[in-house]
Amino acid sequence: MLLPVNVTFGAVLAVLLAVAATVAAVAHLGRAREIAVAGVRAAVQLAAVSLVIGWVVRSLPLLFAFVLLMYAVAVRTAGRRITANRTWWWAALPIAAGVFPVVAALLLTGLVPVKGIALIPVTGILIGGALTVTVLSGRRALDELSLRRGEVEAGMALGLLDRDARLEVARPAASDALLPGLDQTRTVGLVTLPGAFVGMLLGGASPLLAGAVQLFVLVGLMAVQAVAVAVLLELVARGVLHREEE
């Protein structure tokens, strides 16, 4: 067993969460309460998933319903992080455009069976990756458009279409969202041993098989994230996803 679930486990977990929230508060990072709430939510959500996952994987309709629930939560989380107005729901498009074609290809080729024990973790990793880059690229793009509004207007004055003028400013900032995934892929095995690799080793798989699965996950993530950022950038450039001040 990698981690014994006992009183010591709970105590150390609570201390680490308290340290994270305290450091954020002392350093005036403005995220202390969010860190504490996120930690408590994670504990509750993982406990709930642990209780229902065995039931979900036995039923195909429940399996797909669970996947859709993961997607819906990701859309809500990403959208509300990007903007507070009603355009937040457009975050559904970049996440879906990145994740669902890859998942469909995996199922159609048989690389991932239509079984909850395989589909849920793979889909969860892909949705999580799409969620991260959607939030980062959306926030960075809209922040840049707000800060460099004059450059956008200058581009329009020179004859550029509204979309093209926004793209010139927002594209470099939005593309930075791909850097964490790129760095993780470039340094895998040297700096980090990701969860899929370690999990398969602990489950008894050979190092070669574990490495192959992890490589597949990382490359799939890069595809998902590139598509998500490209679609998000197009939505921002066209003014579909925006903030009130714009």
Side-chain angles (χ1 to χ4, degrees):
M1 183 182 295
L2 183 61
L3 284 174
V5 182
N6 52 28
V7 175
T8 303
F9 172 83
V12 172
L13 204 60
V15 170
L16 289 174
L17 182 59
V19 168
T22 301
V23 170
V26 172
H28 302 288
L29 302 180
R31 303 289 183 183
R33 183 176 181 277
E34 288 186 51
I35 289 173
V37 172
V40 173
R41 281 188 59 173
V44 173
Q45 289 164 191
L46 286 173
V49 169
S50 300
L51 292 174
V52 304
I53 197 72
W55 179 48
V56 169
V57 298
R58 298 190 186 98
S59 169
L60 200 58
L62 289 177
L63 171 60
F64 285 112
F66 191 80
V67 170
L68 288 175
L69 175 62
M70 290 193 294
Y71 169 68
V73 172
V75 170
R76 172 77 179 181
T77 302
R80 300 308 267 176
R81 280 290 185 189
I82 296 170
T83 181
N85 62 35
R86 294 182 179 180
T87 65
W88 68 264
W89 66 270
W90 278 101
L93 191 54
I95 295 176
V99 172
F100 290 141
V102 174
V103 172
L106 296 178
L107 294 177
L108 292 174
T109 57
L111 290 175
V112 173
V114 188
K115 295 180 180 179
I117 201 66
L119 183 60
I120 287 178
V122 171
T123 305
I125 291 171
L126 297 178
I127 291 176
L131 161 64
T132 300
V133 297
T134 298
V135 171
L136 291 177
S137 60
R139 289 175 66 90
R140 290 284 289 115
L142 291 176
D143 286 346
E144 202 74 0
L145 288 175
S146 178
L147 290 171
R148 299 169 60 186
R149 189 191 305 271
E151 294 180 43
V152 176
E153 294 175 350
M156 294 176 184
L158 291 173
L160 289 178
L161 297 175
D162 291 4
R163 168 189 174 275
D164 295 336
R166 293 191 185 101
L167 274 178
E168 288 297 318
V169 170
R171 184 186 284 118
S175 66
D176 283 350
L178 297 173
L179 292 178
L182 288 172
D183 289 342
Q184 182 184 25
T185 303
R186 292 173 60 187
T187 61
V188 66
L190 299 175
V191 178
T192 60
L193 292 176
F197 181 82
V198 175
M200 290 198 66
L201 287 180
L202 293 175
S206 69
L208 180 61
L209 179 59
V213 171
Q214 185 60 67
L215 177 62
F216 176 81
V217 169
L218 290 172
V219 173
L221 265 176
M222 285 196 297
V224 166
Q225 293 180 337
V227 171
V229 171
V231 174
L232 186 284
L233 187 57
E234 192 66 30
L235 292 174
V236 170
R238 293 178 180 274
V240 175
L241 182 60
H242 59 83
R243 292 176 182 155
E244 293 301 333
E245 62 265 26
E246 294 184 3

